Amino acid sequence: MLKLHGFPSSNYYNIPKLALLEKGIEFEEVLCFVGAGEEYKPDYLNKSPMGMVPALETPEGYISESRAILEYLESSHPTPPLLPNSSFHRAKAQELSQFIELYIELAARRMVPYLLGGSKPDPAYLTQFDIDMHRAASALSRLSKFEDFAYGDQFSLADVASINHLSFARGFCWHFLGEDTLAKVPGVAAYLDRMEKRPHVQTIRSDAKAGEAALMAHAVFKRINPDEKHTLQYTTTSSSLQKKLLNQ
């Protein structure tokens, strides 16, 4: 049986978890909070060399990095497909997924240490975050209309990325910019509301909520330093925890 290593409040962990659920693949979850430092679990580095989640344990060995895990799942379990049949449309769905990760999720992720550490970012840094998010929002509207799904007429990996990463980024926009920048993208807010009603999305949300106490105990134990890269591991897709962290 496949085993997914990580913790349920991580949006990157929930990328392959949602794909596994949507595909109906049987798997086991292995809870772990990790990092690359010696104070973490050194043995985990054999599973994920950078000490990041998720890692997928397969009969043949371990796979780290969400994109690689998704590629493995789509290839080894092609039914039901989470990518279109056409080579062009497969590439376009992947383009949207990668865009959301690179230009929206990562821009928001840079703010995580400031949020959890209770520190204020430099005004110039905050201005750049504002510029990056508005620029990304404008470009996103050219890649998707967010009508029925993020791309095409069926649920795909583009939806897996949108559900996890866009929801994650919206909370940081509210907290640091005082507005939901991504809501300016036509269709996004209504689309995400629809996706939250999907049974498997509700599963990852409820699991994230159930794991809040363990996440916060771990985050409090490891004090956040904006200069330490391992702090970027602390993420959440739990709406209730986001509200606590963002004081909303």
PDB file of all heavy atoms in Angstrom, residues 5 32-55 62-65 230 233:
ATOM      1  N   HIS A   5       3.667  10.508   3.584  1.00  0.00           N
ATOM      2  CA  HIS A   5       4.304  11.057   4.776  1.00  0.00           C
ATOM      3  C   HIS A   5       4.161  12.579   4.801  1.00  0.00           C
ATOM      4  O   HIS A   5       4.397  13.251   3.788  1.00  0.00           O
ATOM      5  CB  HIS A   5       5.799  10.704   4.785  1.00  0.00           C
ATOM      6  CG  HIS A   5       6.078   9.240   4.889  1.00  0.00           C
ATOM      7  ND1 HIS A   5       6.604   8.662   6.028  1.00  0.00           N
ATOM      8  CD2 HIS A   5       5.896   8.221   4.004  1.00  0.00           C
ATOM      9  CE1 HIS A   5       6.744   7.359   5.833  1.00  0.00           C
ATOM     10  NE2 HIS A   5       6.333   7.067   4.608  1.00  0.00           N
ATOM     11  N   CYS A  32       4.181  13.189  10.191  1.00  0.00           N
ATOM     12  CA  CYS A  32       5.529  13.599  10.585  1.00  0.00           C
ATOM     13  C   CYS A  32       5.702  15.087  10.336  1.00  0.00           C
ATOM     14  O   CYS A  32       5.213  15.631   9.352  1.00  0.00           O
ATOM     15  CB  CYS A  32       6.600  12.795   9.856  1.00  0.00           C
ATOM     16  SG  CYS A  32       6.542  12.889   8.071  1.00  0.00           S
ATOM     17  N   PHE A  33       6.363  15.759  11.274  1.00  0.00           N
ATOM     18  CA  PHE A  33       6.763  17.154  11.135  1.00  0.00           C
ATOM     19  C   PHE A  33       8.274  17.130  10.962  1.00  0.00           C
ATOM     20  O   PHE A  33       8.991  16.605  11.819  1.00  0.00           O
ATOM     21  CB  PHE A  33       6.397  17.950  12.384  1.00  0.00           C
ATOM     22  CG  PHE A  33       4.916  17.993  12.640  1.00  0.00           C
ATOM     23  CD1 PHE A  33       4.348  17.198  13.623  1.00  0.00           C
ATOM     24  CD2 PHE A  33       4.089  18.821  11.905  1.00  0.00           C
ATOM     25  CE1 PHE A  33       2.984  17.235  13.871  1.00  0.00           C
ATOM     26  CE2 PHE A  33       2.729  18.855  12.136  1.00  0.00           C
ATOM     27  CZ  PHE A  33       2.173  18.064  13.124  1.00  0.00           C
ATOM     28  N   VAL A  34       8.738  17.665   9.884  1.00  0.00           N
ATOM     29  CA  VAL A  34      10.150  17.468   9.557  1.00  0.00           C
ATOM     30  C   VAL A  34      10.818  18.746   9.098  1.00  0.00           C
ATOM     31  O   VAL A  34      10.195  19.779   8.891  1.00  0.00           O
ATOM     32  CB  VAL A  34      10.296  16.395   8.456  1.00  0.00           C
ATOM     33  CG1 VAL A  34       9.801  15.062   8.944  1.00  0.00           C
ATOM     34  CG2 VAL A  34       9.516  16.818   7.210  1.00  0.00           C
ATOM     35  N   GLY A  35      12.115  18.655   8.905  1.00  0.00           N
ATOM     36  CA  GLY A  35      12.935  19.738   8.407  1.00  0.00           C
ATOM     37  C   GLY A  35      14.304  19.172   8.107  1.00  0.00           C
ATOM     38  O   GLY A  35      14.541  17.973   8.271  1.00  0.00           O
ATOM     39  N   ALA A  36      15.218  20.004   7.683  1.00  0.00           N
ATOM     40  CA  ALA A  36      16.526  19.508   7.274  1.00  0.00           C
ATOM     41  C   ALA A  36      17.560  19.545   8.398  1.00  0.00           C
ATOM     42  O   ALA A  36      18.662  19.050   8.246  1.00  0.00           O
ATOM     43  CB  ALA A  36      17.028  20.322   6.084  1.00  0.00           C
ATOM     44  N   GLY A  37      17.242  20.144   9.536  1.00  0.00           N
ATOM     45  CA  GLY A  37      18.208  20.282  10.621  1.00  0.00           C
ATOM     46  C   GLY A  37      18.377  19.007  11.427  1.00  0.00           C
ATOM     47  O   GLY A  37      17.543  18.104  11.396  1.00  0.00           O
ATOM     48  N   GLU A  38      19.437  18.937  12.180  1.00  0.00           N
ATOM     49  CA  GLU A  38      19.715  17.758  12.993  1.00  0.00           C
ATOM     50  C   GLU A  38      18.677  17.550  14.090  1.00  0.00           C
ATOM     51  O   GLU A  38      18.521  16.459  14.607  1.00  0.00           O
ATOM     52  CB  GLU A  38      21.109  17.881  13.616  1.00  0.00           C
ATOM     53  CG  GLU A  38      22.242  17.771  12.615  1.00  0.00           C
ATOM     54  CD  GLU A  38      22.244  16.438  11.887  1.00  0.00           C
ATOM     55  OE1 GLU A  38      21.956  15.408  12.529  1.00  0.00           O
ATOM     56  OE2 GLU A  38      22.530  16.424  10.676  1.00  0.00           O
ATOM     57  N   GLU A  39      17.984  18.649  14.460  1.00  0.00           N
ATOM     58  CA  GLU A  39      16.988  18.524  15.524  1.00  0.00           C
ATOM     59  C   GLU A  39      15.724  17.818  15.047  1.00  0.00           C
ATOM     60  O   GLU A  39      14.853  17.479  15.836  1.00  0.00           O
ATOM     61  CB  GLU A  39      16.629  19.906  16.078  1.00  0.00           C
ATOM     62  CG  GLU A  39      15.856  20.809  15.121  1.00  0.00           C
ATOM     63  CD  GLU A  39      16.778  21.637  14.230  1.00  0.00           C
ATOM     64  OE1 GLU A  39      17.919  21.212  14.011  1.00  0.00           O
ATOM     65  OE2 GLU A  39      16.321  22.701  13.753  1.00  0.00           O
ATOM     66  N   TYR A  40      15.634  17.608  13.733  1.00  0.00           N
ATOM     67  CA  TYR A  40      14.476  16.906  13.191  1.00  0.00           C
ATOM     68  C   TYR A  40      14.777  15.409  13.135  1.00  0.00           C
ATOM     69  O   TYR A  40      15.632  14.914  13.846  1.00  0.00           O
ATOM     70  CB  TYR A  40      14.120  17.469  11.823  1.00  0.00           C
ATOM     71  CG  TYR A  40      13.654  18.904  11.893  1.00  0.00           C
ATOM     72  CD1 TYR A  40      14.534  19.947  11.633  1.00  0.00           C
ATOM     73  CD2 TYR A  40      12.343  19.217  12.245  1.00  0.00           C
ATOM     74  CE1 TYR A  40      14.118  21.276  11.714  1.00  0.00           C
ATOM     75  CE2 TYR A  40      11.921  20.538  12.328  1.00  0.00           C
ATOM     76  CZ  TYR A  40      12.803  21.552  12.064  1.00  0.00           C
ATOM     77  OH  TYR A  40      12.397  22.858  12.139  1.00  0.00           O
ATOM     78  N   LYS A  41      14.115  14.716  12.255  1.00  0.00           N
ATOM     79  CA  LYS A  41      14.328  13.287  12.117  1.00  0.00           C
ATOM     80  C   LYS A  41      15.295  13.038  10.964  1.00  0.00           C
ATOM     81  O   LYS A  41      14.880  13.062   9.797  1.00  0.00           O
ATOM     82  CB  LYS A  41      12.996  12.574  11.850  1.00  0.00           C
ATOM     83  CG  LYS A  41      11.973  12.746  12.963  1.00  0.00           C
ATOM     84  CD  LYS A  41      10.658  12.068  12.597  1.00  0.00           C
ATOM     85  CE  LYS A  41       9.620  12.245  13.694  1.00  0.00           C
ATOM     86  NZ  LYS A  41       8.322  11.626  13.332  1.00  0.00           N
ATOM     87  N   PRO A  42      16.563  12.790  11.251  1.00  0.00           N
ATOM     88  CA  PRO A  42      17.549  12.628  10.176  1.00  0.00           C
ATOM     89  C   PRO A  42      17.191  11.513   9.200  1.00  0.00           C
ATOM     90  O   PRO A  42      17.517  11.593   8.015  1.00  0.00           O
ATOM     91  CB  PRO A  42      18.844  12.319  10.937  1.00  0.00           C
ATOM     92  CG  PRO A  42      18.635  12.900  12.292  1.00  0.00           C
ATOM     93  CD  PRO A  42      17.174  12.708  12.582  1.00  0.00           C
ATOM     94  N   ASP A  43      16.526  10.466   9.688  1.00  0.00           N
ATOM     95  CA  ASP A  43      16.179   9.353   8.811  1.00  0.00           C
ATOM     96  C   ASP A  43      15.205   9.774   7.716  1.00  0.00           C
ATOM     97  O   ASP A  43      15.152   9.145   6.648  1.00  0.00           O
ATOM     98  CB  ASP A  43      15.585   8.198   9.629  1.00  0.00           C
ATOM     99  CG  ASP A  43      14.327   8.608  10.379  1.00  0.00           C
ATOM    100  OD1 ASP A  43      14.398   9.574  11.165  1.00  0.00           O
ATOM    101  OD2 ASP A  43      13.282   7.958  10.190  1.00  0.00           O
ATOM    102  N   TYR A  44      14.440  10.850   7.964  1.00  0.00           N
ATOM    103  CA  TYR A  44      13.479  11.287   6.959  1.00  0.00           C
ATOM    104  C   TYR A  44      14.175  11.816   5.705  1.00  0.00           C
ATOM    105  O   TYR A  44      13.604  11.808   4.623  1.00  0.00           O
ATOM    106  CB  TYR A  44      12.555  12.373   7.544  1.00  0.00           C
ATOM    107  CG  TYR A  44      11.454  12.789   6.595  1.00  0.00           C
ATOM    108  CD1 TYR A  44      10.337  11.984   6.407  1.00  0.00           C
ATOM    109  CD2 TYR A  44      11.540  13.980   5.876  1.00  0.00           C
ATOM    110  CE1 TYR A  44       9.322  12.357   5.535  1.00  0.00           C
ATOM    111  CE2 TYR A  44      10.530  14.363   5.001  1.00  0.00           C
ATOM    112  CZ  TYR A  44       9.425  13.543   4.832  1.00  0.00           C
ATOM    113  OH  TYR A  44       8.442  13.916   3.961  1.00  0.00           O
ATOM    114  N   LEU A  45      15.423  12.245   5.846  1.00  0.00           N
ATOM    115  CA  LEU A  45      16.165  12.770   4.702  1.00  0.00           C
ATOM    116  C   LEU A  45      16.415  11.691   3.658  1.00  0.00           C
ATOM    117  O   LEU A  45      16.682  12.010   2.491  1.00  0.00           O
ATOM    118  CB  LEU A  45      17.482  13.393   5.154  1.00  0.00           C
ATOM    119  CG  LEU A  45      17.361  14.583   6.113  1.00  0.00           C
ATOM    120  CD1 LEU A  45      18.735  15.131   6.449  1.00  0.00           C
ATOM    121  CD2 LEU A  45      16.477  15.670   5.534  1.00  0.00           C
ATOM    122  N   ASN A  46      16.324  10.442   4.046  1.00  0.00           N
ATOM    123  CA  ASN A  46      16.432   9.358   3.077  1.00  0.00           C
ATOM    124  C   ASN A  46      15.158   9.230   2.250  1.00  0.00           C
ATOM    125  O   ASN A  46      15.169   8.617   1.181  1.00  0.00           O
ATOM    126  CB  ASN A  46      16.714   8.035   3.788  1.00  0.00           C
ATOM    127  CG  ASN A  46      18.066   8.020   4.472  1.00  0.00           C
ATOM    128  OD1 ASN A  46      19.024   8.586   3.959  1.00  0.00           O
ATOM    129  ND2 ASN A  46      18.139   7.387   5.631  1.00  0.00           N
ATOM    130  N   LYS A  47      14.086   9.803   2.757  1.00  0.00           N
ATOM    131  CA  LYS A  47      12.810   9.782   2.049  1.00  0.00           C
ATOM    132  C   LYS A  47      12.622  11.060   1.235  1.00  0.00           C
ATOM    133  O   LYS A  47      12.114  11.033   0.109  1.00  0.00           O
ATOM    134  CB  LYS A  47      11.654   9.628   3.046  1.00  0.00           C
ATOM    135  CG  LYS A  47      11.767   8.401   3.953  1.00  0.00           C
ATOM    136  CD  LYS A  47      10.632   8.399   4.971  1.00  0.00           C
ATOM    137  CE  LYS A  47      10.683   7.196   5.890  1.00  0.00           C
ATOM    138  NZ  LYS A  47      11.835   7.202   6.799  1.00  0.00           N
ATOM    139  N   SER A  48      13.008  12.190   1.826  1.00  0.00           N
ATOM    140  CA  SER A  48      12.895  13.498   1.186  1.00  0.00           C
ATOM    141  C   SER A  48      14.186  14.259   1.468  1.00  0.00           C
ATOM    142  O   SER A  48      14.366  14.775   2.573  1.00  0.00           O
ATOM    143  CB  SER A  48      11.677  14.257   1.752  1.00  0.00           C
ATOM    144  OG  SER A  48      11.606  15.564   1.222  1.00  0.00           O
ATOM    145  N   PRO A  49      15.117  14.305   0.525  1.00  0.00           N
ATOM    146  CA  PRO A  49      16.462  14.841   0.782  1.00  0.00           C
ATOM    147  C   PRO A  49      16.519  16.247   1.368  1.00  0.00           C
ATOM    148  O   PRO A  49      17.448  16.570   2.100  1.00  0.00           O
ATOM    149  CB  PRO A  49      17.115  14.790  -0.606  1.00  0.00           C
ATOM    150  CG  PRO A  49      16.442  13.649  -1.279  1.00  0.00           C
ATOM    151  CD  PRO A  49      15.017  13.731  -0.823  1.00  0.00           C
ATOM    152  N   MET A  50      15.526  17.097   1.063  1.00  0.00           N
ATOM    153  CA  MET A  50      15.501  18.441   1.625  1.00  0.00           C
ATOM    154  C   MET A  50      14.706  18.510   2.931  1.00  0.00           C
ATOM    155  O   MET A  50      14.543  19.570   3.510  1.00  0.00           O
ATOM    156  CB  MET A  50      14.914  19.432   0.617  1.00  0.00           C
ATOM    157  CG  MET A  50      15.832  19.718  -0.566  1.00  0.00           C
ATOM    158  SD  MET A  50      17.405  20.470  -0.064  1.00  0.00           S
ATOM    159  CE  MET A  50      16.839  22.100   0.438  1.00  0.00           C
ATOM    160  N   GLY A  51      14.215  17.361   3.373  1.00  0.00           N
ATOM    161  CA  GLY A  51      13.481  17.324   4.634  1.00  0.00           C
ATOM    162  C   GLY A  51      12.116  17.963   4.569  1.00  0.00           C
ATOM    163  O   GLY A  51      11.576  18.403   5.587  1.00  0.00           O
ATOM    164  N   MET A  52      11.525  18.008   3.380  1.00  0.00           N
ATOM    165  CA  MET A  52      10.227  18.658   3.201  1.00  0.00           C
ATOM    166  C   MET A  52       9.135  17.612   3.025  1.00  0.00           C
ATOM    167  O   MET A  52       9.395  16.471   2.631  1.00  0.00           O
ATOM    168  CB  MET A  52      10.257  19.580   1.975  1.00  0.00           C
ATOM    169  CG  MET A  52      11.410  20.582   1.986  1.00  0.00           C
ATOM    170  SD  MET A  52      11.281  21.807   3.304  1.00  0.00           S
ATOM    171  CE  MET A  52      10.159  22.972   2.552  1.00  0.00           C
ATOM    172  N   VAL A  53       7.901  17.995   3.312  1.00  0.00           N
ATOM    173  CA  VAL A  53       6.763  17.131   3.017  1.00  0.00           C
ATOM    174  C   VAL A  53       6.113  17.646   1.725  1.00  0.00           C
ATOM    175  O   VAL A  53       6.220  18.832   1.410  1.00  0.00           O
ATOM    176  CB  VAL A  53       5.732  17.131   4.176  1.00  0.00           C
ATOM    177  CG1 VAL A  53       6.382  16.670   5.459  1.00  0.00           C
ATOM    178  CG2 VAL A  53       5.073  18.481   4.368  1.00  0.00           C
ATOM    179  N   PRO A  54       5.474  16.714   1.012  1.00  0.00           N
ATOM    180  CA  PRO A  54       5.237  15.318   1.332  1.00  0.00           C
ATOM    181  C   PRO A  54       6.326  14.407   0.763  1.00  0.00           C
ATOM    182  O   PRO A  54       7.163  14.832  -0.024  1.00  0.00           O
ATOM    183  CB  PRO A  54       3.914  15.053   0.626  1.00  0.00           C
ATOM    184  CG  PRO A  54       4.027  15.868  -0.628  1.00  0.00           C
ATOM    185  CD  PRO A  54       4.737  17.135  -0.204  1.00  0.00           C
ATOM    186  N   ALA A  55       6.241  13.148   1.183  1.00  0.00           N
ATOM    187  CA  ALA A  55       7.018  12.085   0.566  1.00  0.00           C
ATOM    188  C   ALA A  55       6.073  10.907   0.402  1.00  0.00           C
ATOM    189  O   ALA A  55       5.276  10.616   1.305  1.00  0.00           O
ATOM    190  CB  ALA A  55       8.217  11.701   1.421  1.00  0.00           C
ATOM    191  N   TYR A  62      10.947   5.694  -2.312  1.00  0.00           N
ATOM    192  CA  TYR A  62      10.318   6.957  -1.930  1.00  0.00           C
ATOM    193  C   TYR A  62      10.386   7.986  -3.054  1.00  0.00           C
ATOM    194  O   TYR A  62      11.355   8.032  -3.823  1.00  0.00           O
ATOM    195  CB  TYR A  62      10.999   7.539  -0.688  1.00  0.00           C
ATOM    196  CG  TYR A  62      10.783   6.709   0.553  1.00  0.00           C
ATOM    197  CD1 TYR A  62      11.713   5.743   0.923  1.00  0.00           C
ATOM    198  CD2 TYR A  62       9.649   6.877   1.341  1.00  0.00           C
ATOM    199  CE1 TYR A  62      11.518   4.973   2.060  1.00  0.00           C
ATOM    200  CE2 TYR A  62       9.446   6.111   2.470  1.00  0.00           C
ATOM    201  CZ  TYR A  62      10.379   5.161   2.828  1.00  0.00           C
ATOM    202  OH  TYR A  62      10.180   4.389   3.949  1.00  0.00           O
ATOM    203  N   ILE A  63       9.342   8.827  -3.118  1.00  0.00           N
ATOM    204  CA  ILE A  63       9.294   9.940  -4.059  1.00  0.00           C
ATOM    205  C   ILE A  63       8.973  11.197  -3.260  1.00  0.00           C
ATOM    206  O   ILE A  63       8.002  11.220  -2.493  1.00  0.00           O
ATOM    207  CB  ILE A  63       8.203   9.748  -5.136  1.00  0.00           C
ATOM    208  CG1 ILE A  63       8.393   8.424  -5.877  1.00  0.00           C
ATOM    209  CG2 ILE A  63       8.209  10.919  -6.108  1.00  0.00           C
ATOM    210  CD1 ILE A  63       7.216   8.076  -6.782  1.00  0.00           C
ATOM    211  N   SER A  64       9.789  12.226  -3.422  1.00  0.00           N
ATOM    212  CA  SER A  64       9.494  13.514  -2.797  1.00  0.00           C
ATOM    213  C   SER A  64       9.134  14.514  -3.891  1.00  0.00           C
ATOM    214  O   SER A  64       9.315  14.236  -5.076  1.00  0.00           O
ATOM    215  CB  SER A  64      10.696  14.017  -1.991  1.00  0.00           C
ATOM    216  OG  SER A  64      11.828  14.189  -2.821  1.00  0.00           O
ATOM    217  N   GLU A  65       8.622  15.662  -3.480  1.00  0.00           N
ATOM    218  CA  GLU A  65       8.168  16.743  -4.358  1.00  0.00           C
ATOM    219  C   GLU A  65       6.785  16.420  -4.937  1.00  0.00           C
ATOM    220  O   GLU A  65       6.576  15.397  -5.587  1.00  0.00           O
ATOM    221  CB  GLU A  65       9.156  17.050  -5.492  1.00  0.00           C
ATOM    222  CG  GLU A  65      10.555  17.402  -5.026  1.00  0.00           C
ATOM    223  CD  GLU A  65      10.590  18.651  -4.144  1.00  0.00           C
ATOM    224  OE1 GLU A  65       9.686  19.488  -4.253  1.00  0.00           O
ATOM    225  OE2 GLU A  65      11.544  18.776  -3.343  1.00  0.00           O
ATOM    226  N   HIS A 230      13.963  26.469   6.924  1.00  0.00           N
ATOM    227  CA  HIS A 230      13.095  25.351   7.321  1.00  0.00           C
ATOM    228  C   HIS A 230      11.762  25.837   7.850  1.00  0.00           C
ATOM    229  O   HIS A 230      10.808  25.076   7.894  1.00  0.00           O
ATOM    230  CB  HIS A 230      13.784  24.443   8.337  1.00  0.00           C
ATOM    231  CG  HIS A 230      14.029  25.069   9.673  1.00  0.00           C
ATOM    232  ND1 HIS A 230      13.027  25.353  10.561  1.00  0.00           N
ATOM    233  CD2 HIS A 230      15.188  25.460  10.275  1.00  0.00           C
ATOM    234  CE1 HIS A 230      13.536  25.880  11.658  1.00  0.00           C
ATOM    235  NE2 HIS A 230      14.839  25.961  11.513  1.00  0.00           N
ATOM    236  N   GLN A 233       8.369  25.368   6.059  1.00  0.00           N
ATOM    237  CA  GLN A 233       7.632  24.119   6.081  1.00  0.00           C
ATOM    238  C   GLN A 233       6.271  24.297   6.736  1.00  0.00           C
ATOM    239  O   GLN A 233       5.358  23.524   6.495  1.00  0.00           O
ATOM    240  CB  GLN A 233       8.441  23.073   6.845  1.00  0.00           C
ATOM    241  CG  GLN A 233       7.892  21.666   6.747  1.00  0.00           C
ATOM    242  CD  GLN A 233       7.951  21.139   5.338  1.00  0.00           C
ATOM    243  OE1 GLN A 233       8.899  21.380   4.618  1.00  0.00           O
ATOM    244  NE2 GLN A 233       6.929  20.445   4.930  1.00  0.00           N
TER     245      GLN A 233
END
